[in-house]
Amino acid sequence: MAIKQRNALTTEATISVNGVDAVYFNSNIQDETQGTSITININNPEVFYACDEGRTELVELFNETLDKAKPKDSQE
């Protein structure tokens, strides 16, 4: 996985499977409202769906974004 940008509110990454770019991931969290936008483009489905490698990384990014977006008063 290649992280192009990552900070408290934004993550942009490309997930490669067997050396081939398979997924583009972009998330943005609105600072004031914690509203969240997530874009996932599976741009090489044959490669992406052929194994679990890319899916595991995608789920990690997705979960990380949701955890960061959770309102501070509801975090444990």
PDB file of all heavy atoms in Angstrom, residues 37-62:
ATOM      1  N   SER A  37     -16.406  11.517   4.323  1.00  0.00           N
ATOM      2  CA  SER A  37     -16.536  11.132   2.920  1.00  0.00           C
ATOM      3  C   SER A  37     -15.452  10.103   2.626  1.00  0.00           C
ATOM      4  O   SER A  37     -14.279  10.322   2.940  1.00  0.00           O
ATOM      5  CB  SER A  37     -16.342  12.362   2.030  1.00  0.00           C
ATOM      6  OG  SER A  37     -16.231  11.970   0.682  1.00  0.00           O
ATOM      7  N   ILE A  38     -15.858   8.970   2.050  1.00  0.00           N
ATOM      8  CA  ILE A  38     -14.901   7.921   1.692  1.00  0.00           C
ATOM      9  C   ILE A  38     -15.133   7.564   0.228  1.00  0.00           C
ATOM     10  O   ILE A  38     -16.256   7.264  -0.172  1.00  0.00           O
ATOM     11  CB  ILE A  38     -15.068   6.668   2.574  1.00  0.00           C
ATOM     12  CG1 ILE A  38     -14.787   6.997   4.035  1.00  0.00           C
ATOM     13  CG2 ILE A  38     -14.154   5.540   2.089  1.00  0.00           C
ATOM     14  CD1 ILE A  38     -15.064   5.856   4.996  1.00  0.00           C
ATOM     15  N   THR A  39     -14.051   7.599  -0.548  1.00  0.00           N
ATOM     16  CA  THR A  39     -14.103   7.205  -1.952  1.00  0.00           C
ATOM     17  C   THR A  39     -13.214   5.990  -2.140  1.00  0.00           C
ATOM     18  O   THR A  39     -12.049   6.005  -1.748  1.00  0.00           O
ATOM     19  CB  THR A  39     -13.603   8.342  -2.868  1.00  0.00           C
ATOM     20  OG1 THR A  39     -14.412   9.496  -2.653  1.00  0.00           O
ATOM     21  CG2 THR A  39     -13.661   7.937  -4.333  1.00  0.00           C
ATOM     22  N   ILE A  40     -13.776   4.956  -2.725  1.00  0.00           N
ATOM     23  CA  ILE A  40     -13.022   3.740  -3.030  1.00  0.00           C
ATOM     24  C   ILE A  40     -13.225   3.435  -4.504  1.00  0.00           C
ATOM     25  O   ILE A  40     -14.354   3.231  -4.949  1.00  0.00           O
ATOM     26  CB  ILE A  40     -13.508   2.547  -2.187  1.00  0.00           C
ATOM     27  CG1 ILE A  40     -13.346   2.845  -0.697  1.00  0.00           C
ATOM     28  CG2 ILE A  40     -12.764   1.268  -2.580  1.00  0.00           C
ATOM     29  CD1 ILE A  40     -14.048   1.852   0.206  1.00  0.00           C
ATOM     30  N   ASN A  41     -12.144   3.425  -5.266  1.00  0.00           N
ATOM     31  CA  ASN A  41     -12.203   3.057  -6.680  1.00  0.00           C
ATOM     32  C   ASN A  41     -11.420   1.768  -6.877  1.00  0.00           C
ATOM     33  O   ASN A  41     -10.199   1.750  -6.701  1.00  0.00           O
ATOM     34  CB  ASN A  41     -11.600   4.149  -7.568  1.00  0.00           C
ATOM     35  CG  ASN A  41     -12.408   5.410  -7.570  1.00  0.00           C
ATOM     36  OD1 ASN A  41     -13.609   5.386  -7.383  1.00  0.00           O
ATOM     37  ND2 ASN A  41     -11.742   6.532  -7.770  1.00  0.00           N
ATOM     38  N   ILE A  42     -12.115   0.706  -7.222  1.00  0.00           N
ATOM     39  CA  ILE A  42     -11.446  -0.558  -7.559  1.00  0.00           C
ATOM     40  C   ILE A  42     -11.188  -0.485  -9.056  1.00  0.00           C
ATOM     41  O   ILE A  42     -12.074  -0.717  -9.864  1.00  0.00           O
ATOM     42  CB  ILE A  42     -12.301  -1.768  -7.171  1.00  0.00           C
ATOM     43  CG1 ILE A  42     -12.535  -1.754  -5.659  1.00  0.00           C
ATOM     44  CG2 ILE A  42     -11.634  -3.069  -7.620  1.00  0.00           C
ATOM     45  CD1 ILE A  42     -13.497  -2.800  -5.163  1.00  0.00           C
ATOM     46  N   ASN A  43      -9.963  -0.087  -9.411  1.00  0.00           N
ATOM     47  CA  ASN A  43      -9.649   0.170 -10.808  1.00  0.00           C
ATOM     48  C   ASN A  43      -9.020  -1.015 -11.527  1.00  0.00           C
ATOM     49  O   ASN A  43      -8.749  -0.930 -12.719  1.00  0.00           O
ATOM     50  CB  ASN A  43      -8.775   1.418 -10.946  1.00  0.00           C
ATOM     51  CG  ASN A  43      -7.599   1.405 -10.009  1.00  0.00           C
ATOM     52  OD1 ASN A  43      -7.151   0.361  -9.577  1.00  0.00           O
ATOM     53  ND2 ASN A  43      -7.107   2.575  -9.668  1.00  0.00           N
ATOM     54  N   ASN A  44      -8.821  -2.103 -10.832  1.00  0.00           N
ATOM     55  CA  ASN A  44      -8.336  -3.328 -11.461  1.00  0.00           C
ATOM     56  C   ASN A  44      -9.001  -4.508 -10.751  1.00  0.00           C
ATOM     57  O   ASN A  44      -8.377  -5.212  -9.954  1.00  0.00           O
ATOM     58  CB  ASN A  44      -6.810  -3.410 -11.378  1.00  0.00           C
ATOM     59  CG  ASN A  44      -6.244  -4.398 -12.359  1.00  0.00           C
ATOM     60  OD1 ASN A  44      -6.905  -5.371 -12.708  1.00  0.00           O
ATOM     61  ND2 ASN A  44      -5.024  -4.157 -12.810  1.00  0.00           N
ATOM     62  N   PRO A  45     -10.298  -4.732 -11.005  1.00  0.00           N
ATOM     63  CA  PRO A  45     -11.044  -5.746 -10.249  1.00  0.00           C
ATOM     64  C   PRO A  45     -10.511  -7.158 -10.401  1.00  0.00           C
ATOM     65  O   PRO A  45     -10.568  -7.941  -9.452  1.00  0.00           O
ATOM     66  CB  PRO A  45     -12.470  -5.634 -10.781  1.00  0.00           C
ATOM     67  CG  PRO A  45     -12.404  -4.810 -12.005  1.00  0.00           C
ATOM     68  CD  PRO A  45     -11.133  -4.028 -11.961  1.00  0.00           C
ATOM     69  N   GLU A  46      -9.974  -7.502 -11.557  1.00  0.00           N
ATOM     70  CA  GLU A  46      -9.466  -8.867 -11.749  1.00  0.00           C
ATOM     71  C   GLU A  46      -8.352  -9.172 -10.758  1.00  0.00           C
ATOM     72  O   GLU A  46      -8.298 -10.244 -10.169  1.00  0.00           O
ATOM     73  CB  GLU A  46      -8.962  -9.075 -13.189  1.00  0.00           C
ATOM     74  CG  GLU A  46     -10.032  -8.958 -14.245  1.00  0.00           C
ATOM     75  CD  GLU A  46     -10.318  -7.516 -14.662  1.00  0.00           C
ATOM     76  OE1 GLU A  46      -9.528  -6.606 -14.324  1.00  0.00           O
ATOM     77  OE2 GLU A  46     -11.353  -7.294 -15.306  1.00  0.00           O
ATOM     78  N   VAL A  47      -7.470  -8.195 -10.560  1.00  0.00           N
ATOM     79  CA  VAL A  47      -6.361  -8.367  -9.627  1.00  0.00           C
ATOM     80  C   VAL A  47      -6.858  -8.272  -8.190  1.00  0.00           C
ATOM     81  O   VAL A  47      -6.502  -9.080  -7.331  1.00  0.00           O
ATOM     82  CB  VAL A  47      -5.267  -7.307  -9.897  1.00  0.00           C
ATOM     83  CG1 VAL A  47      -4.192  -7.338  -8.824  1.00  0.00           C
ATOM     84  CG2 VAL A  47      -4.668  -7.510 -11.276  1.00  0.00           C
ATOM     85  N   PHE A  48      -7.710  -7.287  -7.913  1.00  0.00           N
ATOM     86  CA  PHE A  48      -8.192  -7.054  -6.548  1.00  0.00           C
ATOM     87  C   PHE A  48      -8.932  -8.262  -5.993  1.00  0.00           C
ATOM     88  O   PHE A  48      -8.700  -8.684  -4.861  1.00  0.00           O
ATOM     89  CB  PHE A  48      -9.088  -5.817  -6.509  1.00  0.00           C
ATOM     90  CG  PHE A  48      -9.648  -5.524  -5.148  1.00  0.00           C
ATOM     91  CD1 PHE A  48      -8.833  -5.027  -4.143  1.00  0.00           C
ATOM     92  CD2 PHE A  48     -10.979  -5.745  -4.865  1.00  0.00           C
ATOM     93  CE1 PHE A  48      -9.347  -4.750  -2.889  1.00  0.00           C
ATOM     94  CE2 PHE A  48     -11.503  -5.463  -3.615  1.00  0.00           C
ATOM     95  CZ  PHE A  48     -10.679  -4.964  -2.625  1.00  0.00           C
ATOM     96  N   TYR A  49      -9.838  -8.821  -6.767  1.00  0.00           N
ATOM     97  CA  TYR A  49     -10.658  -9.926  -6.278  1.00  0.00           C
ATOM     98  C   TYR A  49      -9.955 -11.287  -6.337  1.00  0.00           C
ATOM     99  O   TYR A  49     -10.482 -12.274  -5.849  1.00  0.00           O
ATOM    100  CB  TYR A  49     -11.983  -9.989  -7.039  1.00  0.00           C
ATOM    101  CG  TYR A  49     -12.875  -8.813  -6.737  1.00  0.00           C
ATOM    102  CD1 TYR A  49     -13.205  -7.899  -7.725  1.00  0.00           C
ATOM    103  CD2 TYR A  49     -13.370  -8.602  -5.460  1.00  0.00           C
ATOM    104  CE1 TYR A  49     -14.021  -6.808  -7.454  1.00  0.00           C
ATOM    105  CE2 TYR A  49     -14.175  -7.521  -5.177  1.00  0.00           C
ATOM    106  CZ  TYR A  49     -14.500  -6.626  -6.176  1.00  0.00           C
ATOM    107  OH  TYR A  49     -15.293  -5.549  -5.900  1.00  0.00           O
ATOM    108  N   ALA A  50      -8.761 -11.330  -6.890  1.00  0.00           N
ATOM    109  CA  ALA A  50      -8.055 -12.600  -7.033  1.00  0.00           C
ATOM    110  C   ALA A  50      -7.454 -13.099  -5.719  1.00  0.00           C
ATOM    111  O   ALA A  50      -7.175 -14.290  -5.582  1.00  0.00           O
ATOM    112  CB  ALA A  50      -6.962 -12.471  -8.089  1.00  0.00           C
ATOM    113  N   CYS A  51      -7.244 -12.193  -4.753  1.00  0.00           N
ATOM    114  CA  CYS A  51      -6.678 -12.623  -3.471  1.00  0.00           C
ATOM    115  C   CYS A  51      -7.137 -11.673  -2.367  1.00  0.00           C
ATOM    116  O   CYS A  51      -7.736 -10.639  -2.634  1.00  0.00           O
ATOM    117  CB  CYS A  51      -5.153 -12.687  -3.536  1.00  0.00           C
ATOM    118  SG  CYS A  51      -4.353 -11.101  -3.669  1.00  0.00           S
ATOM    119  N   ASP A  52      -6.840 -12.028  -1.128  1.00  0.00           N
ATOM    120  CA  ASP A  52      -7.287 -11.246   0.019  1.00  0.00           C
ATOM    121  C   ASP A  52      -6.345 -10.098   0.385  1.00  0.00           C
ATOM    122  O   ASP A  52      -6.705  -9.253   1.202  1.00  0.00           O
ATOM    123  CB  ASP A  52      -7.444 -12.147   1.246  1.00  0.00           C
ATOM    124  CG  ASP A  52      -8.644 -13.070   1.131  1.00  0.00           C
ATOM    125  OD1 ASP A  52      -9.568 -12.753   0.359  1.00  0.00           O
ATOM    126  OD2 ASP A  52      -8.642 -14.105   1.815  1.00  0.00           O
ATOM    127  N   GLU A  53      -5.166 -10.051  -0.206  1.00  0.00           N
ATOM    128  CA  GLU A  53      -4.148  -9.066   0.166  1.00  0.00           C
ATOM    129  C   GLU A  53      -4.681  -7.627   0.121  1.00  0.00           C
ATOM    130  O   GLU A  53      -4.604  -6.890   1.098  1.00  0.00           O
ATOM    131  CB  GLU A  53      -2.951  -9.202  -0.770  1.00  0.00           C
ATOM    132  CG  GLU A  53      -1.858  -8.180  -0.546  1.00  0.00           C
ATOM    133  CD  GLU A  53      -0.766  -8.285  -1.587  1.00  0.00           C
ATOM    134  OE1 GLU A  53      -0.721  -9.283  -2.336  1.00  0.00           O
ATOM    135  OE2 GLU A  53       0.032  -7.361  -1.661  1.00  0.00           O
ATOM    136  N   GLY A  54      -5.260  -7.222  -0.983  1.00  0.00           N
ATOM    137  CA  GLY A  54      -5.763  -5.858  -1.126  1.00  0.00           C
ATOM    138  C   GLY A  54      -6.979  -5.592  -0.271  1.00  0.00           C
ATOM    139  O   GLY A  54      -7.139  -4.496   0.280  1.00  0.00           O
ATOM    140  N   ARG A  55      -7.831  -6.584  -0.134  1.00  0.00           N
ATOM    141  CA  ARG A  55      -9.042  -6.406   0.682  1.00  0.00           C
ATOM    142  C   ARG A  55      -8.691  -6.153   2.141  1.00  0.00           C
ATOM    143  O   ARG A  55      -9.307  -5.323   2.805  1.00  0.00           O
ATOM    144  CB  ARG A  55      -9.961  -7.613   0.560  1.00  0.00           C
ATOM    145  CG  ARG A  55     -10.734  -7.612  -0.749  1.00  0.00           C
ATOM    146  CD  ARG A  55     -11.675  -8.763  -0.796  1.00  0.00           C
ATOM    147  NE  ARG A  55     -10.991  -9.815  -1.550  1.00  0.00           N
ATOM    148  CZ  ARG A  55     -11.482 -10.993  -1.810  1.00  0.00           C
ATOM    149  NH1 ARG A  55     -12.663 -11.324  -1.359  1.00  0.00           N
ATOM    150  NH2 ARG A  55     -10.816 -11.865  -2.511  1.00  0.00           N
ATOM    151  N   THR A  56      -7.701  -6.852   2.652  1.00  0.00           N
ATOM    152  CA  THR A  56      -7.281  -6.674   4.038  1.00  0.00           C
ATOM    153  C   THR A  56      -6.806  -5.241   4.270  1.00  0.00           C
ATOM    154  O   THR A  56      -7.197  -4.596   5.248  1.00  0.00           O
ATOM    155  CB  THR A  56      -6.163  -7.675   4.394  1.00  0.00           C
ATOM    156  OG1 THR A  56      -6.656  -8.995   4.190  1.00  0.00           O
ATOM    157  CG2 THR A  56      -5.700  -7.504   5.832  1.00  0.00           C
ATOM    158  N   GLU A  57      -5.990  -4.715   3.366  1.00  0.00           N
ATOM    159  CA  GLU A  57      -5.496  -3.345   3.497  1.00  0.00           C
ATOM    160  C   GLU A  57      -6.634  -2.340   3.368  1.00  0.00           C
ATOM    161  O   GLU A  57      -6.673  -1.340   4.082  1.00  0.00           O
ATOM    162  CB  GLU A  57      -4.415  -3.072   2.457  1.00  0.00           C
ATOM    163  CG  GLU A  57      -3.148  -3.854   2.701  1.00  0.00           C
ATOM    164  CD  GLU A  57      -2.102  -3.634   1.642  1.00  0.00           C
ATOM    165  OE1 GLU A  57      -2.434  -3.132   0.543  1.00  0.00           O
ATOM    166  OE2 GLU A  57      -0.940  -3.957   1.909  1.00  0.00           O
ATOM    167  N   LEU A  58      -7.577  -2.602   2.467  1.00  0.00           N
ATOM    168  CA  LEU A  58      -8.713  -1.704   2.281  1.00  0.00           C
ATOM    169  C   LEU A  58      -9.579  -1.646   3.544  1.00  0.00           C
ATOM    170  O   LEU A  58      -9.971  -0.568   3.987  1.00  0.00           O
ATOM    171  CB  LEU A  58      -9.547  -2.149   1.075  1.00  0.00           C
ATOM    172  CG  LEU A  58     -10.784  -1.320   0.762  1.00  0.00           C
ATOM    173  CD1 LEU A  58     -10.423   0.145   0.508  1.00  0.00           C
ATOM    174  CD2 LEU A  58     -11.502  -1.907  -0.447  1.00  0.00           C
ATOM    175  N   VAL A  59      -9.847  -2.790   4.136  1.00  0.00           N
ATOM    176  CA  VAL A  59     -10.647  -2.833   5.368  1.00  0.00           C
ATOM    177  C   VAL A  59      -9.919  -2.086   6.493  1.00  0.00           C
ATOM    178  O   VAL A  59     -10.543  -1.357   7.266  1.00  0.00           O
ATOM    179  CB  VAL A  59     -10.965  -4.290   5.771  1.00  0.00           C
ATOM    180  CG1 VAL A  59     -11.537  -4.370   7.167  1.00  0.00           C
ATOM    181  CG2 VAL A  59     -11.930  -4.903   4.763  1.00  0.00           C
ATOM    182  N   GLU A  60      -8.608  -2.215   6.574  1.00  0.00           N
ATOM    183  CA  GLU A  60      -7.833  -1.501   7.592  1.00  0.00           C
ATOM    184  C   GLU A  60      -7.973   0.013   7.418  1.00  0.00           C
ATOM    185  O   GLU A  60      -8.193   0.743   8.399  1.00  0.00           O
ATOM    186  CB  GLU A  60      -6.363  -1.902   7.534  1.00  0.00           C
ATOM    187  CG  GLU A  60      -6.089  -3.296   8.043  1.00  0.00           C
ATOM    188  CD  GLU A  60      -4.650  -3.737   7.811  1.00  0.00           C
ATOM    189  OE1 GLU A  60      -3.809  -2.898   7.404  1.00  0.00           O
ATOM    190  OE2 GLU A  60      -4.364  -4.924   8.030  1.00  0.00           O
ATOM    191  N   LEU A  61      -7.846   0.504   6.183  1.00  0.00           N
ATOM    192  CA  LEU A  61      -7.991   1.937   5.928  1.00  0.00           C
ATOM    193  C   LEU A  61      -9.402   2.414   6.256  1.00  0.00           C
ATOM    194  O   LEU A  61      -9.588   3.478   6.852  1.00  0.00           O
ATOM    195  CB  LEU A  61      -7.675   2.257   4.465  1.00  0.00           C
ATOM    196  CG  LEU A  61      -6.217   2.282   4.057  1.00  0.00           C
ATOM    197  CD1 LEU A  61      -6.092   2.425   2.548  1.00  0.00           C
ATOM    198  CD2 LEU A  61      -5.486   3.423   4.750  1.00  0.00           C
ATOM    199  N   PHE A  62     -10.388   1.644   5.854  1.00  0.00           N
ATOM    200  CA  PHE A  62     -11.781   1.987   6.097  1.00  0.00           C
ATOM    201  C   PHE A  62     -12.054   2.088   7.602  1.00  0.00           C
ATOM    202  O   PHE A  62     -12.602   3.083   8.088  1.00  0.00           O
ATOM    203  CB  PHE A  62     -12.683   0.935   5.443  1.00  0.00           C
ATOM    204  CG  PHE A  62     -14.138   1.296   5.425  1.00  0.00           C
ATOM    205  CD1 PHE A  62     -14.650   2.106   4.430  1.00  0.00           C
ATOM    206  CD2 PHE A  62     -14.988   0.817   6.405  1.00  0.00           C
ATOM    207  CE1 PHE A  62     -16.000   2.442   4.408  1.00  0.00           C
ATOM    208  CE2 PHE A  62     -16.340   1.140   6.392  1.00  0.00           C
ATOM    209  CZ  PHE A  62     -16.838   1.961   5.392  1.00  0.00           C
TER     210      PHE A  62
END
